[in-house]
Structures are given as C-alpha cells and as structure tokens.
Amino acid sequence: MKFLLALAFRNLTRYTKRTVITASAIAFGLGLFIVLDSFLKGAEMESEINLINYETASAKVMHPAYLGERDNLPLKYVIEEPEKIIDILDGNSIAATPRVVFKAELFVREDPYPESGSVYVKGIALDPSRDDEVFRLRETVKKGRYLEEDENGVLIGEWMASDLGARVGYPLTLRVRTRYGAYETMDMEIVGLINSPNPQINKSTVFLPLSTADYFLDMDGAVTELALSPGLTFDRSRDPDKMAGQIEKLLHTNGYDLQVHSWKKLAPDYVAMAAMKSTGSRIILFLVFVIAAVGITNTMLMAVFERIRELGMMRAMGMTDRQIRLSFLLEAGGIGLIGALGGLIFGALVNWPLVEWGWDFTPMLKQMDIGYRISGVFRSMWNIPTMFRAFFAGIVIAMLVALFPIRRALKMQITDCLRDE
C-alpha cells in the first residue's frame, strides 16, 4: 500500500501541468457551487428575520374570526381590554405590544407637494412605549424622529416619500372608516421617514400613535392584534406553530377565547413563495453541481486515456489489475483533494465579502417585488455543512469518474496498450 501511495504521489508531481489543470476545474466548479448556495441561504435567512422583526413578529394574538378576513383589515373583530392580556403574557416572560391595523386612503395636496393625489395605504397604529419590545421600527428612522403618544404625527417609508415628494414636516390626510363603519378624516403631519430592511414597510405603510388612532377610529381601547416575541433574535430551533399553540392554551386557561397564530401562518404568501424558491434553488444548485461534475469527468477522462501506454507497461512489469486500479484511484483522489481544497478556499474568499458587506440590489428592488423581505443589500451566510459536503463530493467524484477509463484500459491487451498513441 505504501508503494501505491508513493507512486500516486509521484505521478501527481510528475504530471504537474495536468494535475493543476484538472484540480483547477474541480476548484472552480465547487467554488461556484459554494458561493451560490451561501448566497441563496443568506437571502432566505435574512428575509425571514426581516419578516419577523418588522411585519409579523414571532406570533400574534387575534380574534377567532380575524384571520379569515385578514386581507380586508377589518376593525369589527377586535381584542377588548388588551392590557389585561398583556399582563398575563408579561407574567410568562412573553413580550407583547398592541396594534391596530386598518385600511386608509392617503391624500396630499399641491404645495408643498409637487402635485395633488391619493394612494391607498396600510395604517398601523402602535404604542410608542411598548412597540420596541417586539419590533425594531425605531431603529429604521432615517430623518426626523420617532412617534410620540397623543400626537397627530405619522411615519412613512422613504420609498413612499420619494414617490409623493414628501419631507419631514409636510401635512397629509388619511381617510378611514371607523370601527362602526363611518367615514373619518385624519389631518396628520409627517414627523419621520423610515428605511426598513423590509420593502413592504417602505412602500405602502403609515405608522401613527395608538392613542390617536383609538380616538379617530372609535376603538374604545380595543385593538386588532397583540404582537408577540420571545426575543428580538429569531431562533430557528424554536417551532413557531408549537410556540403559538402553547400561548393560545395559556390564554384559554385564563378565560380568553382568542387565537394565536405563528409568523408562518400570518405570512402564507411568503411561506409558499419561499418553498417555491427553495425548490428552484435546489434545481439551480443541482445544475451547477452537474456542470462541475461534467468538467471534472472530462478532465479525468483525458488524464487517464493519455496514459494508456504507461498503464500497459505497468501490467507488463507484473502489477496486478487490482494494484493498477488502486494506484489510479489514489492518484485521482489526490487530484480531487487538491481541487476540493482549492474550491473550498476559492468559495470562502468570494463568499467572505458577500457575508460581510453583501450585494446592494436597491435600484432593482425599489422597482419590483421579488417576494423576499429584503429592501436592498443581500448578504450571504456561511453554510459550513454544505461546504464540507462539497469538499468530500469533489474527492469522491474525481475517484468515481476515473473508474470508467481505468476499467476500459484494463480490458485491453498489453500489446494494444503499448501501441496506443
């Protein structure tokens, strides 16, 4: 065995050009696979974090009839006396914040705006003193300031402000329907502009104080939802549906007939889109892997076929077929090892700036919705298990593809091998 290992190592150094070319093909293919896989995994993970931190929270408490009509943002299915429920949740170390979500038509008028017009938006009334326990909206204020209680102030996204020509201090009017169906207008002032990592927040959402909305919408202290969070950092190991079920059971035990929905249930469109993209990503990765495997196969085939005469000479000197086959396999494994190591380094070097700084797609994402909850910079993530799987796959593929030409050569007569050109 030592002789075969020494022979394989010597052949690697003896055919330096061939070893470098073959290993480079393996390194490029595996490096490309590692970079693409890390990029897609990073986009998926960051999108889920932005969905939870700025849109759905980890879970929400709702009226039993609300979820079925959630797309209409009804105000008739509410949670009465939310403070009592918040006290129960606080006692069980669950952060909770009340919100009222409603439809509104936003009006602006020429002077100070460039032109008059209106646009339909989603209104979210929040408690400025509690909302930070669940969401991270305060951190996204780029101009002006955050909301204060009992003021007629609103926060809007910078993307919406850009479309309207709005600035901090500009007035706007919201036309809404109250809890009992009457029309109401709210004259407000823009107190801040936000730029969230979640594009859904930047495009068409208006935030205002809960107390102000409570007065104009005739909510009488009721809210449409309580957003929950066991922590601001998303924990993949926690089962969202199981956690929601446990909190719902807690509320039922305390006499509240309410439902608790996890973020997965609150964003079925995103979950379905993510599943579809995941399937598409796997197909793309498979194709990249096939391309890499074909490249490895071609170079290994050429490497073995060009040495048919050498193989015939080894047989003429008395080496058994098993020894020759093992010698070539060890040599192929050595090339695979060099190439896989190079692919690991190449993939890591390309992936590192994508993990640290990402790739800014802001101009494209501002004009189109690709489903991900990422507003601009896509960041990759280190997917260590996949990197190691790619590393070992490079070695195994190099050895497997070498089997075919070796087998064919061993079937040839020794004289035919020695005459091979």
Side-chain angles (χ1 to χ4, degrees):
M1 188 65 185
K2 286 183 179 178
F3 167 74
L4 295 178
L5 280 171
L7 180 62
F9 179 76
R10 186 173 179 182
N11 283 333
L12 285 177
T13 55
R14 188 163 55 129
Y15 300 101
T16 308
K17 182 185 282 187
R18 188 209 64 201
T19 301
V20 170
I21 292 174
T22 308
S24 298
I26 297 173
F28 180 77
L30 293 186
L32 187 64
F33 174 81
I34 289 171
V35 171
L36 186 58
D37 177 74
S38 300
F39 188 75
L40 293 173
K41 285 287 182 186
E44 182 182 340
M45 174 63 80
E46 191 163 337
S47 188
E48 287 185 8
I49 291 173
N50 290 338
L51 177 75
I52 292 169
N53 285 344
Y54 301 97
E55 195 173 337
T56 64
S58 294
K60 287 183 178 180
V61 181
M62 293 176 170
H63 186 280
Y66 188 89
L67 190 66
E69 297 189 32
R70 181 166 51 94
D71 291 340
N72 298 321
L73 305 181
L75 295 178
K76 59 182 178 181
Y77 302 122
V78 298
I79 302 171
E80 303 285 358
E81 300 179 332
E83 290 301 328
K84 291 184 178 179
I85 300 174
I86 290 174
D87 288 341
I88 295 172
L89 295 170
D90 281 344
N92 288 274
S93 302
I94 301 170
T97 186
R99 283 188 166 192
V100 174
V101 184
F102 57 96
K103 283 183 177 178
E105 187 174 7
L106 186 155
F107 290 90
V108 297
R109 296 175 180 80
E110 189 174 359
D111 189 19
Y113 290 90
E115 59 183 29
S116 299
S118 69
V119 60
Y120 287 96
V121 298
K122 177 194 281 188
I124 297 181
L126 56 86
D127 183 347
S129 64
R130 295 193 63 93
D131 208 67
D132 297 350
E133 296 181 21
V134 177
F135 296 101
R136 305 180 68 171
L137 190 67
R138 187 188 295 269
E139 301 171 12
T140 67
V141 177
K142 300 301 178 185
K143 294 179 182 177
R145 60 171 174 79
Y146 192 62
L147 295 171
E148 296 177 357
E149 294 185 14
D150 302 323
E151 68 170 354
N152 288 2
V154 295
L155 294 172
I156 67 173
E158 284 189 330
W159 292 10
M160 184 194 297
S162 176
D163 293 339
L164 296 173
R167 295 181 181 177
V168 174
Y170 278 20
L172 57 80
T173 300
L174 296 176
R175 188 176 70 167
V176 298
R177 297 191 71 167
T178 69
R179 178 181 177 182
Y180 305 106
Y183 283 101
E184 181 67 87
T185 58
M186 307 164 65
D187 292 322
M188 314 293 285
E189 177 183 330
I190 299 173
V191 299
L193 302 181
I194 56 178
N195 189 354
S196 161
N198 187 327
Q200 302 297 325
I201 301 298
N202 297 338
K203 289 178 180 177
S204 58
T205 308
V206 173
F207 296 90
L208 63 156
L210 185 63
S211 54
T212 304
D214 184 80
Y215 172 77
F216 283 104
L217 299 176
D218 292 333
M219 296 301 290
D220 300 324
V223 297
T224 57
E225 63 185 38
L226 291 173
L228 312 178
S229 177
L232 292 178
T233 302
F234 176 56
D235 182 1
R236 264 180 174 271
S237 63
R238 193 184 297 275
D239 184 341
D241 292 326
K242 185 177 179 181
M243 180 192 68
Q246 291 172 343
I247 298 173
E248 185 174 298
K249 187 176 180 181
L250 171 68
L251 296 180
H252 288 176
T253 303
N254 285 273
Y256 290 97
D257 183 23
L258 298 170
Q259 291 183 344
V260 181
H261 305 294
S262 71
W263 67 268
K264 285 188 173 180
K265 200 167 184 178
L266 293 169
D269 57 332
Y270 169 77
V271 173
M273 181 277 301
M276 185 178 66
K277 285 183 181 294
S278 178
T279 302
S281 300
R282 281 197 289 270
I283 293 174
I284 293 172
L285 289 172
F286 176 73
L287 292 176
V288 170
F289 195 81
V290 168
I291 293 170
V294 169
I296 296 168
T297 303
N298 284 335
T299 50
M300 287 304 301
L301 285 174
M302 287 188 293
V304 175
F305 278 136
E306 71 180 8
R307 295 170 59 196
I308 294 292
R309 293 183 64 187
E310 180 182 332
L311 190 145
M313 187 174 62
M314 292 167 70
R315 294 173 68 190
M317 293 176 65
M319 288 185 69
T320 64
D321 289 354
R322 181 175 176 277
Q323 289 174 321
I324 294 172
R325 186 183 298 110
L326 187 56
S327 169
F328 273 81
L329 286 179
L330 289 173
E331 187 178 333
I335 295 174
L337 177 64
I338 296 170
L341 192 60
L344 205 61
I345 295 171
F346 170 63
L349 288 176
V350 175
N351 205 37
W352 175 64
L354 293 175
V355 172
E356 290 295 321
W357 300 290
W359 195 335
D360 191 356
F361 288 93
T362 300
M364 183 184 77
L365 296 177
K366 196 173 180 180
Q367 302 299 325
M368 60 185 292
D369 184 2
I370 62 172
Y372 280 125
R373 296 314 200 259
I374 301 176
S375 62
V377 179
F378 277 61
R379 285 189 173 81
S380 297
M381 63 172 288
W382 295 111
N383 192 358
I384 303 300
T386 295
M387 293 174 72
F388 276 101
R389 279 197 289 270
F391 174 78
F392 289 112
I395 300 173
V396 172
I397 289 175
M399 296 178 74
L400 288 178
V401 297
L403 276 175
F404 171 72
I406 295 171
R407 184 180 176 187
R408 180 181 168 185
L410 290 176
K411 286 183 178 178
M412 298 172 64
Q413 295 294 326
I414 295 177
T415 53
D416 293 336
C417 291
L418 293 174
R419 281 199 299 267
D420 188 74
E421 295 293 337

